[in-house]
Amino acid sequence: MGDQHRDPSGLAGVVPRAVAEACKRLSLGTPVLVAASAGLDSTVLATALAQALGPDAIVLGHVHHGLRGAEADADAEAIAALAARLGCASRSSRIDP
């Protein structure tokens, strides 16, 4: 995570451990769709789930609502890049207002 994803709370270290513990109780037969916005929270969650379950067990999902122009385009690109970095699939949909 780059400078845009600073974590002054320190939760980026706590969340992966909590997710790994929760995932131990899951019995999954199909990949989990992880809604992702490109913000710190969804980035940390997606990373933790990919580490805990394996990249084949998650699919990052992103909806581009067409409301924020170039900023929203960048979010969609960031999710695709995150999925590539994690080695998982991603799906993106655009809904124009």
Side-chain angles (χ1 to χ4, degrees), residues 60-78:
L60 298 188
H62 180 77
V63 177
H64 184 314
H65 296 280
L67 298 174
R68 297 181 301 117
E71 188 176 346
D73 294 340
D75 288 346
E77 292 170 8

Side-chain angles (χ1 to χ4, degrees), residues 5 10 12 14 27-28 30 32 34 39 42 48 50 52-53 55 62 68-69 75-76 78 87:
H5 290 129
V14 174
S27 176
L28 302 173
T30 59
V32 174
V34 181
S42 58
L53 297 173
H62 180 77
R68 297 181 301 117
D75 288 346

